[in-house]
């Protein structure tokens, strides 16, 4: 596993250099859904600092076991509002916020534990196969509402394109997300919103993270290439 992690880091560095980006501006999230705590520990020892989980129950168990270790946990799966109270306790960044209802619940629960919860908005740019995420137009409206939520800080956008055999086919989704992020960033700088910063683009997985980096990804979410195929 150590070798694979080193290879992925090397590919991240090379992709960044190809497009004159600083490799330090790209964070690797190791997606550890369905991966045991023991193997997560192995990845930590091999130099991984951030893990991404999709299911609250599974993540709670795992994080409890590994609680003494200095790593950060991100939530990347679909989140139901009634699990918001667990999510704010466990995760530094929640990538998958796609409704005002969920953002409100997260803000309420974060307030109870005196936390500002960092989130990304998951956007759906006409991906028929993917049900999560909200349209670009709805994203604009959601951001306006989120400005009023005291315990939420929006750091950027996330996307999960449909799966393609050819990673180049993800490219239009990634560039559209970046354009959208830039547009919101401009609008928001005119219309000051202290809890919305929009520097992050969470995009790219095992099949297409190099393309995503060329398109501006600041966070890549890689599972299979690190831990092998999931069953
Ligand atoms: C599972 C998952 C990943 C990782 O996918 P791989 O193809 O295994 O790298 C990334 N992002 C999300 C949202 C996922 O659910």
């Amino acid at each position: 596993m150590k070798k694979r992690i080193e290879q992925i880091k090397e590919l991240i560095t090379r992709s960044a250099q190809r497009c004159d980006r600083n490799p330090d501006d790209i964070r690797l999230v190791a997606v550890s859904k369905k991966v045991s705590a023991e193997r997560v520990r192995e990845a930590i020892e091999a130099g991984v600092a951030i893990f991404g989980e999709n299911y609250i129950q599974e993540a709670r168990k795992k994080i409890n076991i590994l609680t003494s270790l200095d790593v950060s946990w991100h939530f990347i799966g679909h989140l139901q509002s009634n699990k918001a109270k667990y999510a704010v306790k466990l995760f530094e960044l929640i990538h998958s916020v796609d409704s005002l209802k969920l953002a409100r619940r997260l803000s309420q629960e974060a307030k109870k534990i005196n936390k500002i919860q960092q989130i990304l908005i998951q956007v759906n740019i006409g991906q028929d196969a993917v049900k999560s995420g909200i349209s670009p137009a709805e994203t604009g409206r959601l951001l306006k509402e989120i400005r009023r939520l005291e315990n939420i800080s929006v750091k950027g956008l996330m996307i999960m394109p449909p799966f393609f055999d050819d990673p180049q086919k993800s490219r239009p989704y990634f560039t559209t997300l970046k354009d959208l992020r830039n547009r919101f960033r401009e609008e928001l700088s005119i219309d000051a919103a202290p809890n919305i910063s929009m520097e992050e683009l969470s995009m790219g997985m095992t099949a297409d993270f190099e393309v995503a980096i060329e398109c501006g990804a600041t966070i890549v979410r890689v599972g299979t290439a690190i831990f092998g195929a999931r069953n």
Side-chain angles (χ1 to χ4, degrees):
M1 191 190 300
K2 191 172 169 71
K3 190 143 180 242
R4 276 189 281 190
I5 291 166
E6 277 161 11
Q7 278 167 350
I8 291 159
K9 287 185 173 173
E10 180 61 31
L11 289 172
I12 290 171
T13 299
R14 272 192 245 154
S15 305
Q17 285 166 347
R18 264 203 306 281
C19 49
D20 286 324
R21 296 187 56 200
N22 181 349
D24 294 341
D25 293 341
I26 298 146
R27 289 190 283 170
L28 169 64
V29 172
V31 176
S32 48
K33 63 179 171 226
K34 298 184 180 168
V35 173
S36 69
E38 270 325 297
R39 299 184 64 224
V40 169
R41 194 191 298 273
E42 210 183 311
I44 296 169
E45 280 159 11
V48 172
I50 313 171
F51 292 89
E53 288 282 339
N54 289 61
Y55 310 102
I56 293 287
Q57 249 188 327
E58 180 190 338
R60 283 178 79 191
K61 284 191 203 149
K62 223 177 282 180
I63 295 171
N64 259 326
I65 295 171
L66 301 168
T67 184
S68 62
L69 300 170
D70 185 25
V71 288
S72 162
W73 297 87
H74 289 190
F75 191 79
I76 63 171
H78 177 70
L79 183 59
Q80 290 167 308
S81 314
N82 61 8
K83 303 265 172 69
K85 70 167 179 244
Y86 303 113
V88 299
K89 283 183 193 143
L90 297 169
F91 298 102
E92 181 194 338
L93 180 65
I94 297 170
H95 291 222
S96 47
V97 176
D98 62 358
S99 73
L100 180 58
K101 183 182 172 202
L102 176 57
R104 276 197 183 123
R105 277 298 283 276
L106 289 169
S107 186
Q108 286 165 359
E109 297 296 339
K111 188 168 186 165
K112 288 184 195 164
I113 59 167
N114 224 341
K115 178 185 185 186
I116 305 291
Q117 178 64 54
Q118 300 186 7
I119 65 167
L120 306 177
I121 307 297
Q122 183 173 357
V123 181
N124 186 326
I125 307 168
Q127 303 118 273
D128 296 334
V130 184
K131 289 183 198 78
S132 310
I134 63 171
S135 70
E138 287 173 305
T139 303
R141 285 198 289 274
L142 178 59
L143 289 172
K144 288 203 177 83
E145 299 283 348
I146 285 179
R147 278 192 309 202
R148 286 197 272 272
L149 300 180
E150 283 174 33
N151 290 69
I152 290 287
S153 169
V154 183
K155 294 293 177 188
L157 305 177
M158 182 271 227
I159 193 167
M160 187 159 155
F163 179 81
F164 300 108
D165 285 327
D166 175 7
Q168 294 300 338
K169 290 198 174 142
S170 299
R171 190 179 288 273
Y173 293 92
F174 296 153
T175 52
T176 303
L177 195 73
K178 183 181 186 179
D179 291 346
L180 199 61
R181 189 275 310 262
N182 292 350
R183 204 185 83 206
F184 287 135
R185 199 153 58 174
E186 265 171 41
E187 287 176 8
L188 293 161
S189 66
I190 298 165
D191 206 359
N195 68 335
I196 300 178
S197 60
M198 284 284 153
E199 66 265 25
E200 304 287 359
L201 285 172
S202 167
M203 54 191 199
M205 315 188 349
T206 291
D208 54 16
F209 70 90
E210 292 167 275
V211 175
I213 290 167
E214 289 171 15
C215 298
T218 62
I219 302 176
V220 293
R221 311 178 307 266
V222 179
T224 308
I226 293 175
F227 297 109
R230 292 176 292 271
N231 42 26

